[in-house]
Amino acid sequence: MKSLAHQPTVSIAALATALLAAPAFAQDAPAGAQPASPPVSGALSQAQTGDDIVVTAAVGDRTRFKSSVSVSQVSNEAIQNFTPRSQAEILRSIPGIQTAANAGPGGNANIGVRGIPVSTGGSEYVALQEDGLPVVLFGDINFGNNDYWLRFDYTVDRVEAVRGGSASTFASQAPGAVINYISNTGDHDGGSIGYTEGLDFRQHQLNFNYGGHIDPTLRYDIGGYWRRGAGPSDISYDALKGYQVKANITKELPDNRGYIRLLFKRLDEQAPTNTSSLAIAKLDGNKITGFDLAPGIDPREGSTYSENNRRFQYVDQNGNLQSAKVEGIHPRVTSVGAQIHYEIADGITIDDNFRKSWISGSFTTQFLNVLPTSSLIGSTVNGQTVGAIRYANGPNQGKTFTGQFVNNNPNINTLMHDMGNLANNLQINGKHELGSGTVNLSAGWFHMSQKIDQTWFVNRQYSEIATKNGAELDLFSTTGTQLTAAGQAGYGDNWGTCCARNVDLTYTDDAPFLSAGYSVGGLNLDGSVRFDRVAGKGFAQGGVAGANYTVSDALGTAVIPSLIAASAKENINYLKSYSSWSAGALYAFGSDTSVFVRASRGGRFNADRRVLGGNFNSDGSLNAQGNSTAVNFLNQQEAGLKQRGTLSLFGMTGRYTTETTFFHSTLTENNYDFTRLANSPPNNNPNISNKYRSFGVEFTGNIAMGNFHLTANLTYTDAKIKDSATAAIIGNRPGGIPRLQYFIQPSYDRGIAAVGFTIDGQTGAPIDDFGTYELNGTTFVNAFLKIRPVKNLELGINVNNLFNTLGFRYGGNVVQSGGTSYYTNTGIYGRTTEASIRFRF
């Protein structure tokens, strides 16, 4: 067992210094191939016509037009025109992907796919990759979601996504979708440098990328960004600051047999992550039809990042008071990679992709929950009845607080001591002529070891809800005793003993996989299978009662209780194996129409979210409950139509492509979400045991006609909870799943100037699985203008949320106070305008 677990690592160690690989389950294009390019006036790029090679969750050399999977490819230029303000916003340009797109520049988004809800946070069934390897093994690691660890910048050539299908067998822990950020590799000599400046928000960013050939067989690419400011929210200090540098060098091998490549990345950035705000809700029965601003609060620009809460205290595991600096999400990533694509003999190639990442960081921020002040007065806090609330700091320090609401969610400090990983994917591909057709065979081994070493400090805290610089609030008893200090009522005890937590875990996934395909004429058949073998080792500790601390602030002295992560260790030492499969067929009717069908089943291993939940025996093995809930399986069936051709309209002629996919998905999910403990009944049960069904259709289309270009993505989803341990939700539509989601981007490019818009929205969706309220749909419009006064120089302006729409997406809660209904959730950024200058050379 041990030798098998380390075999891929030994393999790449022998190859890394001389034979560097293309991504295996997300292969690189053949040596010398040109990357996807942004669209040019009057024409569609290779990526848009479907003639490019699919390199994500695929095998062989099939184009998108001839692949029996649903594939989207978005160029760097198209993403910039979309004017995203976060990684999550980028993903909304991909059909079938569900994300609220309001997580902020630091990440922490919930990413779903095809009507399968995100029940625990993060990205359970969607993998984010960088050059063909996952950034982390599991997309929903507690305080370690996959969108923390990567950034979009000039170094990215395109983003490629495969939904369903072969994602089940050519990637681990990603049965729903694989989204791959593919880097520039110096195919074209030249580069660009650019600077952007926020005009109505404070952000400054320098971007660059340059690549080219050192000689005919050696090329390189280097790029990255530096930025500083507040981000799109109205934060009065530099909550956003940091940089990323990426580089690679590629050596093409003699006789055009392949290439070797080395890669490097360094990311070090602290960035805010958004949390809830509130607005007055307009109700029609249980439908939330619109919003008004609550006094003094604007969700479009408000933030919990405050000059009055830039530091807070916590109690470390040794029982010592420490001070944490609020840095939002602060990832530190250093990675080195090595790739090889080598043709051993005619029709036989070896691909290997290796990366070692050293990852650490912190998650230090202020969460927000809306509590009516009337509910707090008269309640019991730290054993005494609350009689008064006063400002602990800020301009009103010492004065009585009379606002309608308080924030009673924690300030939280998670130290990510080690989130590093080692990943390797080794694959051998063979092609053989059989009769008038071609047989493609592939066999490989994926190995990834993921470290999760964290300590959590989750403090009970009270603060003012304000658009900007909310103050901390101190509570006083009816007898005048001070109950909090600097707004803090308890150290490490906000969510009980579960969440004063210390974990030191290592998960190792070894997955052999096989694929076979046959092509003859217009017919392509393929099938694949993957066997994941995941081992978990380490320990987890929960909270135990610690000392009481006598703490002083400007208003006086309070005695603060604590929990520290020092319980008896829960040992983790187990192995779980499972299989995934996928089979598909495509038939091309000539060169402009193809149809495909596919069925697949993919497994998703439940990792760190299962600890401290009653799933393990004392020796670390799985008990009966843990064994039955260790893996969730996603089943999908899909059928698609791909078309392209010439279009004549209003006397103009152009080109178009469309791809339409009908899908059906079923999932049995067992999981645990500790954050539900803080919810109001009945939605406060952290144990999740649901069966979901969804079906729908995805559509993506492109038209290029003269100087006009149009992209449209539409997703219709009918989702239902078919069964559940919670009887009240059976038959309901899952919370946060809209029926229709759309993304439409028209643009017009005359060469000297270009202008375009993005229309991004969805229809209504229930805010939770119980269907208590349905949130109305909202549409947001972005716009861009580019002017090119001289060759190679481009001046631009882009606007996100052009009409400054007040709106929300998915989830949230309704609070009643004083005869008025209030909606609490993370708001979409208001209008933000950015100017840019870019020089290409």
Side-chain angles (χ1 to χ4, degrees):
M1 181 174 69
K2 188 173 182 179
S3 62
L4 285 174
H6 290 280
Q7 181 177 345
T9 308
V10 174
S11 161
I12 190 61
L15 293 169
T17 56
L19 300 176
L20 315 179
F25 57 79
Q27 298 177 64
D28 202 70
Q34 299 299 310
S37 303
V40 295
S41 296
L44 290 172
S45 69
Q46 271 197 325
Q48 292 163 329
T49 61
D51 287 328
D52 54 309
I53 303 298
V54 177
V55 302
T56 300
V59 65
D61 55 1
R62 292 180 183 173
T63 65
R64 183 161 61 89
F65 179 71
K66 291 190 175 181
S67 296
S68 57
V69 291
S70 298
V71 186
S72 295
Q73 292 157 326
V74 190
S75 71
N76 185 293
E77 191 85 2
I79 291 172
Q80 290 187 60
N81 290 344
F82 176 31
T83 72
R85 300 293 189 245
S86 67
Q87 301 303 307
E89 283 196 55
I90 294 171
L91 305 185
R92 287 189 64 83
S93 64
I94 300 170
I97 300 299
Q98 302 142 201
T99 176
N102 53 359
N108 207 39
N110 296 333
I111 306 168
V113 61
R114 289 182 168 178
I116 301 302
V118 179
S119 58
T120 60
S123 176
E124 290 179 82
Y125 303 100
V126 178
L128 298 185
Q129 296 182 350
E130 204 161 31
D131 294 315
L133 288 173
V135 291
V136 286
L137 180 57
F138 308 106
D140 64 340
I141 297 173
N142 282 312
F143 299 108
N145 295 356
N146 51 19
D147 64 342
Y148 292 14
W149 316 112
L150 82 169
R151 298 289 186 267
F152 174 83
D153 60 16
Y154 283 9
T155 66
V156 177
D157 174 66
R158 65 194 186 276
V159 175
E160 185 171 88
V162 171
R163 286 100 57 202
S166 56
S168 297
T169 51
F170 283 92
S172 289
Q173 317 307 330
V178 176
I179 301 173
N180 189 13
Y181 284 48
I182 301 173
S183 298
N184 292 308
T185 57
D187 299 85
H188 301 284
D189 294 343
S192 63
I193 185 168
Y195 177 76
T196 60
E197 177 77 15
L199 299 183
D200 49 12
F201 69 109
R202 199 161 47 79
Q203 182 169 310
H204 329 284
Q205 182 162 332
L206 180 67
N207 306 276
F208 76 99
N209 184 248
Y210 187 78
H213 290 78
I214 299 172
D215 62 41
T217 64
L218 186 65
R219 66 184 192 270
Y220 70 96
D221 191 85
I222 184 170
Y225 72 86
W226 168 91
R227 62 180 175 179
R228 193 176 185 96
S233 297
D234 188 13
I235 303 172
S236 59
Y237 64 93
D238 287 345
L240 173 66
K241 52 186 175 183
Y243 68 92
Q244 175 172 267
V245 176
K246 291 169 60 182
N248 59 71
I249 186 167
T250 304
K251 173 68 175 179
E252 298 201 20
L253 301 175
D255 302 322
N256 200 32
R257 285 190 172 272
Y259 60 86
I260 57 177
R261 179 174 298 146
L262 294 173
L263 304 97
F264 169 81
K265 169 183 166 178
R266 173 63 181 176
L267 169 64
D268 188 344
E269 179 179 80
Q270 64 180 65
T273 181
N274 290 346
T275 186
S276 292
S277 187
L278 84 160
I280 297 173
K282 301 175 182 177
L283 298 181
D284 181 6
N286 74 331
K287 295 185 182 298
I288 305 171
T289 60
F291 306 97
D292 288 325
L293 293 178
I297 301 168
D298 191 340
R300 295 169 295 189
E301 59 185 51
S303 175
T304 59
Y305 292 80
S306 168
E307 286 284 5
N308 298 309
N309 193 21
R310 294 186 64 176
R311 302 192 75 94
F312 59 82
Q313 288 185 313
Y314 67 97
V315 175
D316 68 18
Q317 284 184 273
N318 297 317
N320 299 316
L321 275 172
Q322 304 286 355
S323 178
K325 183 180 179 181
V326 176
E327 295 183 335
I329 298 176
H330 188 168
R332 303 179 186 91
V333 181
T334 301
S335 65
V336 293
Q339 301 177 347
I340 181 172
H341 173 76
Y342 183 66
E343 186 177 1
I344 301 171
D346 289 345
I348 301 177
T349 60
I350 182 171
D351 289 275
D352 202 73
N353 192 7
F354 165 82
R355 187 182 62 228
K356 170 64 177 175
S357 296
W358 294 268
I359 303 175
S360 62
S362 59
F363 184 111
T364 312
T365 194
Q366 173 66 62
F367 283 6
L368 188 144
N369 180 67
V370 175
L371 176 70
T373 304
S374 57
S375 298
L376 181 57
I377 297 292
S379 68
T380 301
V381 173
N382 291 340
Q384 300 193 50
T385 302
V386 177
I389 307 171
R390 298 176 189 166
Y391 289 94
N393 56 14
N396 295 315
Q397 185 180 78
K399 295 181 180 179
T400 299
F401 174 80
T402 58
Q404 189 173 2
F405 298 102
V406 299
N407 171 24
N408 71 331
N409 232 4
N411 49 29
I412 185 166
N413 179 30
T414 297
L415 301 180
M416 298 178 279
H417 308 292
D418 186 358
M419 300 292 292
N421 57 61
L422 183 147
N424 186 72
N425 201 86
L426 176 66
Q427 185 169 321
I428 297 176
N429 308 302
K431 181 186 294 186
H432 179 69
E433 301 299 324
L434 181 63
S436 58
T438 302
V439 174
N440 289 278
L441 299 173
S442 177
W445 192 294
F446 170 75
H447 168 86
M448 190 165 182
S449 177
Q450 176 68 56
K451 189 73 173 176
I452 305 174
D453 184 357
Q454 300 179 342
T455 309
W456 301 4
F457 307 97
V458 187
N459 299 328
R460 278 187 297 137
Q461 188 271 350
Y462 296 90
S463 61
E464 177 188 20
I465 300 176
T467 296
K468 187 174 183 179
N469 289 332
E472 296 166 342
L473 300 175
D474 275 343
L475 311 183
F476 291 81
S477 74
T478 53
T479 60
T481 302
Q482 186 168 337
L483 305 177
T484 66
Q488 293 183 263
Y491 297 124
D493 63 352
N494 187 81
W495 288 320
T497 57
C498 84
C499 302
R501 181 175 293 198
N502 180 41
V503 297
D504 190 347
L505 304 165
T506 300
Y507 293 94
T508 304
D509 190 343
D510 283 285
F513 54 93
L514 301 168
S515 173
Y518 180 68
S519 303
V520 59
L523 178 66
N524 289 319
L525 303 173
D526 72 89
S528 51
V529 63
R530 187 180 192 91
F531 303 94
D532 281 274
R533 180 175 174 272
V534 186
K537 292 186 177 182
F539 69 86
Q541 291 176 283
V544 296
N548 291 333
Y549 293 81
T550 301
V551 183
S552 297
D553 66 4
L555 303 190
T557 300
V559 177
I560 310 300
S562 70
L563 287 177
I564 58 174
S567 68
K569 292 182 178 179
E570 178 181 70
N571 294 311
I572 311 297
N573 187 4
Y574 68 105
L575 182 70
K576 187 72 175 179
S577 299
Y578 57 95
S579 61
S580 304
W581 58 265
S582 182
L586 177 141
Y587 189 80
F589 298 91
S591 60
D592 290 338
T593 302
S594 63
V595 294
F596 72 91
V597 294
R598 179 167 291 277
S600 59
R601 185 189 83 150
R604 170 55 168 82
F605 183 83
N606 291 322
D608 66 308
R609 290 182 180 267
R610 304 301 290 158
V611 304
L612 301 178
N615 296 293
F616 298 95
N617 297 311
S618 59
D619 63 355
S621 61
L622 291 170
N623 58 25
Q625 172 183 289
N627 187 63
S628 65
T629 60
V631 180
N632 297 327
F633 288 101
L634 176 59
N635 296 278
Q636 297 187 81
Q637 302 84 41
E638 49 198 310
L641 170 66
K642 305 181 183 186
Q643 289 186 298
R644 58 189 181 181
T646 301
L647 178 69
S648 295
L649 191 65
F650 303 121
M652 297 186 295
T653 301
R655 295 283 297 172
Y656 76 92
T657 66
T658 64
E659 181 174 319
T660 306
T661 304
F662 299 88
F663 62 84
H664 177 264
S665 304
T666 58
L667 170 71
T668 299
E669 179 173 68
N670 294 282
N671 222 316
Y672 184 89
D673 180 13
F674 65 83
T675 64
R676 295 191 179 193
L677 292 166
N679 292 347
S680 300
N683 195 23
N684 61 340
N685 184 355
N687 294 292
I688 299 167
S689 182
N690 297 333
K691 291 184 179 180
Y692 301 102
R693 182 274 296 155
S694 70
F695 63 83
V697 59
E698 300 165 349
F699 171 85
T700 183
N702 289 279
I703 297 174
M705 185 173 293
N707 299 313
F708 175 75
H709 185 264
L710 175 66
T711 296
N713 297 325
L714 307 172
T715 304
Y716 174 81
T717 305
D718 188 318
K720 181 178 289 188
I721 302 170
K722 293 291 291 182
D723 197 8
S724 177
T726 306
I729 66 175
I730 297 174
N732 291 352
R733 183 152 49 113
I737 305 298
R739 293 192 183 277
L740 180 65
Q741 184 171 306
Y742 47 91
F743 178 94
I744 303 169
Q745 189 177 63
S747 62
Y748 187 81
D749 191 337
R750 285 281 294 177
I752 192 173
V755 63
F757 298 88
T758 299
I759 302 166
D760 176 20
Q762 73 285 312
T763 55
I767 66 173
D768 57 31
D769 291 350
F770 294 88
T772 51
Y773 292 94
E774 180 165 317
L775 179 65
N776 69 322
T778 309
T779 300
F780 299 90
V781 178
N782 303 343
F784 74 89
L785 172 67
K786 298 179 180 180
I787 299 174
R788 308 178 184 105
V790 296
K791 184 179 180 180
N792 296 332
L793 179 64
E794 181 178 272
L795 307 176
I797 188 168
N798 65 68
V799 186
N800 191 288
N801 195 356
L802 178 65
F803 301 112
N804 202 30
T805 302
L806 173 61
F808 304 82
R809 290 193 177 111
Y810 312 157
N813 192 24
V814 174
V815 176
Q816 304 291 340
S817 179
T820 301
S821 300
Y822 295 87
Y823 177 72
T824 71
N825 198 2
T826 305
I828 299 297
Y829 289 129
R831 180 170 49 243
T832 53
T833 308
E834 194 174 59
S836 64
I837 181 170
R838 184 171 183 174
F839 182 72
R840 303 176 191 268
F841 49 90

